[in-house]
Amino acid sequence: MAAEIVNPRSDGKADQDGGAEPLDSFDPAFALHRGGKMAVQATVPVRDKDDLSLAYTPGVARVCTAIAEQPELVDDYTWKSSVVAVVTDGTAVLGLGDIGPQASLPVMEGKAILFKQFGGVDAVPIALDCTGVDEIVETVVRLAPSFGGVNLEDISAPRCFEIERKLQERLDIPVFHDDQHGTAVVTLAALRNAARLSGRSLGDLRAVISGAGAAGVAIAKMLVEAGIGDVAVADRKGVVSADREDLTSVKRELAGFTNKAGITGSLEDALAGADVFIGVSGGTVAEEAVASMAEGAFVFAMANPNPEVHPEVAHKYAAVVATGRSDFPNQINNVLAFPGIFAGALQVRASRITEGMKIAAAEALAAVVGDDLAADYVIPSPFDERVAPAVTAAVAAAARAEGVARR
């Protein structure tokens, strides 16, 4: 029998009988997770010998032979074209950091059930006991024949950029690092609506991003692609600019297409007169820096559980405030994006997910808000049933338009 997880008494002493109660008794999260959050379910019955002979031998052999002769039939006669691998190495799990592959499994299971709940997409959590770039790439490439897409999850930067790039080069199925692109899609959607609410366009805005990790880099790329007026990115040492000599290759590339204004110095220096703050780094931004932003500014403080700028402070100076938390309005939540993006890509059997598909997803997500647009409603709720169908349709159409759809 597996060892039982137990919780010590709150006073640090053992119970009088020498034991301790299961964590389930103290925390409903443990009760929900006992036994895991998902299972495999058959889609066909196996009630008698006739069913068995079709689902397995000898009938299955005819299907295997047909696929061997025409490999493209695998998409029609197996689950491949409708299932995603959710892959992690456990090095950047939520706000917990490098906790390893086994400890990451509850999050990966959660991601898989969100795929199903919000996008109708089957997903399988895969936690890898390796962290080297080439090890991960080779492992995923060898697993890929079983899947229609790969969602990379909670892999630390800067390795995540190289892993995604190498997998995209070697595989002919969508490879998508949600920490990067899902965050960017939802951020762009919310920013489009915030700009619309204020009678401006993206081209009128100067944005500052706090954090040059996976999410910060992806958001910057997407905002530039979408036509932002200017965007500067700051890391722990200040604004990422071409004159810095301590930049990684990723940050050197970032400096090449951001910060047209040539701002140097600290994050606080960059915020003076800025129209948008986007936080994906943690830490705290001083109230004085927020106060120095332009009139009618937008503050998207998305660190969890503690936003870089508390909404109470942000509302003193900003016209629109968003966070990553569900207990405040305008939650920037990746679940608004990744289920529909993969559903759309799988629907047309796309060979990859393009920038155009991601921007189409952001535009569709923004459009769901429609005429209900308000300062506390620039992005829809994850539970809005219109979201996934809208994103799915937009991504599928964009895939066809960009020539990456195979049906």
Side-chain angles (χ1 to χ4, degrees):
M1 179 180 295
E4 186 172 41
I5 301 174
V6 296
N7 192 24
R9 288 164 51 104
S10 59
D11 60 7
K13 299 177 182 178
D15 292 342
Q16 289 183 350
D17 62 3
E21 293 187 51
L23 283 175
D24 297 15
S25 303
F26 292 83
D27 189 335
F30 280 86
L32 182 143
H33 281 78
R34 182 173 286 278
K37 299 193 291 286
M38 58 185 295
V40 174
Q41 180 177 337
T43 61
V44 296
V46 184
R47 299 161 299 197
D48 51 37
K49 66 182 182 63
D50 292 332
D51 288 344
L52 183 60
S53 70
L54 290 174
Y56 201 54
T57 185
V60 71
R62 298 197 297 275
V63 181
C64 293
T65 301
I67 294 171
E69 294 173 352
Q70 300 181 63
E72 67 276 10
L73 292 179
V74 70
D75 291 316
D76 294 314
Y77 294 105
T78 73
W79 77 343
K80 176 180 171 68
S81 65
S82 60
V83 68
V84 170
V86 181
V87 178
T88 189
D89 64 355
T91 55
V93 182
L94 298 178
L96 304 174
D98 185 356
I99 61 174
Q102 292 189 105
S104 77
L105 269 176
V107 178
M108 299 310 114
E109 287 183 3
K111 195 80 172 191
I113 65 174
L114 294 180
F115 265 107
K116 189 66 172 179
Q117 176 73 25
F118 293 101
V121 174
D122 289 312
V124 177
I126 297 176
L128 302 179
D129 189 16
C130 57
T131 57
V133 169
D134 291 335
E135 286 181 294
I136 292 173
V137 170
E138 292 299 329
T139 302
V140 175
V141 166
R142 282 159 175 72
L143 289 170
S146 294
F147 299 99
V150 175
N151 183 88
L152 299 173
E153 188 74 19
D154 292 350
I155 298 173
S156 63
R159 295 175 310 116
C160 59
F161 303 113
E162 188 176 4
I163 290 168
E164 183 186 45
R165 178 182 59 78
K166 287 187 172 185
L167 285 173
Q168 288 172 339
E169 290 172 353
R170 294 185 60 179
L171 297 177
D172 65 347
I173 58 175
V175 178
F176 184 85
H177 185 208
D178 186 51
D179 299 332
Q180 294 182 58
H181 311 299
T183 306
V185 166
V186 183
T187 301
L188 174 59
L191 188 56
R192 280 192 181 281
N193 276 340
R196 179 164 69 93
L197 182 67
S198 66
R200 290 178 283 178
S201 69
L202 289 178
D204 299 324
L205 304 177
R206 179 171 73 83
V208 177
I209 298 173
S210 175
V217 171
I219 291 169
K221 287 182 177 179
M222 184 161 284
L223 292 184
V224 170
E225 183 76 19
I228 192 81
D230 195 10
V231 56
V233 182
D235 62 12
R236 291 183 180 87
K237 297 182 179 180
V239 175
V240 175
S241 56
D243 63 331
R244 281 179 47 181
E245 298 180 356
D246 61 342
L247 300 181
T248 63
S249 59
V250 171
K251 291 180 183 179
R252 282 197 299 273
E253 179 186 356
L254 184 64
F257 65 85
T258 61
N259 194 18
K260 292 188 294 186
I263 297 169
T264 58
S266 67
L267 169 70
E268 289 75 15
D269 293 332
L271 282 176
D275 302 293
V276 184
F277 167 75
I278 297 171
V280 284
S281 65
T284 301
V285 177
E287 182 171 347
E288 293 78 9
V290 181
S292 75
M293 295 178 68
E295 185 177 353
F298 312 139
V299 171
F300 291 7
M302 301 188 295
N304 269 316
N306 300 311
E308 293 89 349
V309 183
H310 193 279
E312 290 181 3
V313 173
H315 277 297
K316 294 181 184 179
Y317 311 102
V320 175
V321 177
T323 72
R325 289 174 42 159
S326 60
D327 53 346
F328 293 107
N330 296 327
Q331 184 190 18
I332 307 297
N333 190 329
N334 287 15
V335 77
L336 289 162
F338 69 81
I341 289 173
F342 268 99
L346 293 175
Q347 183 181 96
V348 298
R349 296 179 187 167
S351 58
R352 59 193 176 94
I353 295 173
T354 66
E355 289 300 313
M357 292 162 71
K358 289 181 278 188
I359 289 178
E363 291 173 346
L365 183 55
V368 170
V369 170
D371 294 335
D372 295 324
L373 181 64
D376 61 354
Y377 184 57
V378 297
I379 198 75
S381 163
F383 296 98
D384 189 323
E385 295 181 354
R386 300 171 295 171
V387 167
V391 173
T392 299
V395 169
R400 291 190 177 102
E402 298 206 347
V404 297
R406 288 179 284 204
R407 75 166 185 180

